[in-house]
Amino acid sequence: AEDSFSRIDEIAYSLDGIEWMVAHPKDGLFDDRAEMFTIKLPPQLKDGTYTLAVRVADEADNIGAASFTFRIGK
């Protein structure tokens, strides 16, 4: 995630619109305008279609969001 002007303050994700979960930067600190992070999906996902939403907030409380749909199995 990257912001042109402000430090990133929060990264969160939601699978299929259920509970938002906090994602943590790879370096362990929200301290820069660009942060690398990894989202690990639950291992028990069954075959089917899912939507993953990600939101990122900066220190000025601006929020950016994106989502995509993916399929597991046939």
Side-chain angles (χ1 to χ4, degrees):
E2 186 172 346
D3 187 292
S4 299
F5 304 105
S6 303
R7 178 179 54 84
I8 293 177
D9 235 11
E10 177 185 271
I11 302 168
Y13 66 95
S14 174
L15 186 62
D16 283 345
I18 303 177
E19 177 181 3
W20 284 96
M21 304 294 291
V22 174
H24 298 283
K26 284 195 171 207
D27 67 1
L29 298 171
F30 286 109
D31 62 351
D32 208 343
R33 292 186 335 226
E35 296 289 356
M36 298 282 293
F37 65 97
T38 301
I39 295 171
K40 292 186 180 183
L41 297 176
Q44 70 274 17
L45 288 179
K46 298 186 183 339
D47 288 354
T49 301
Y50 298 90
T51 299
L52 180 68
V54 178
R55 72 177 184 218
V56 178
D58 68 11
E59 64 185 336
D61 291 329
N62 297 307
I63 296 174
S67 66
F68 67 95
T69 300
F70 63 96
R71 176 182 283 284
I72 294 177
K74 295 182 180 184

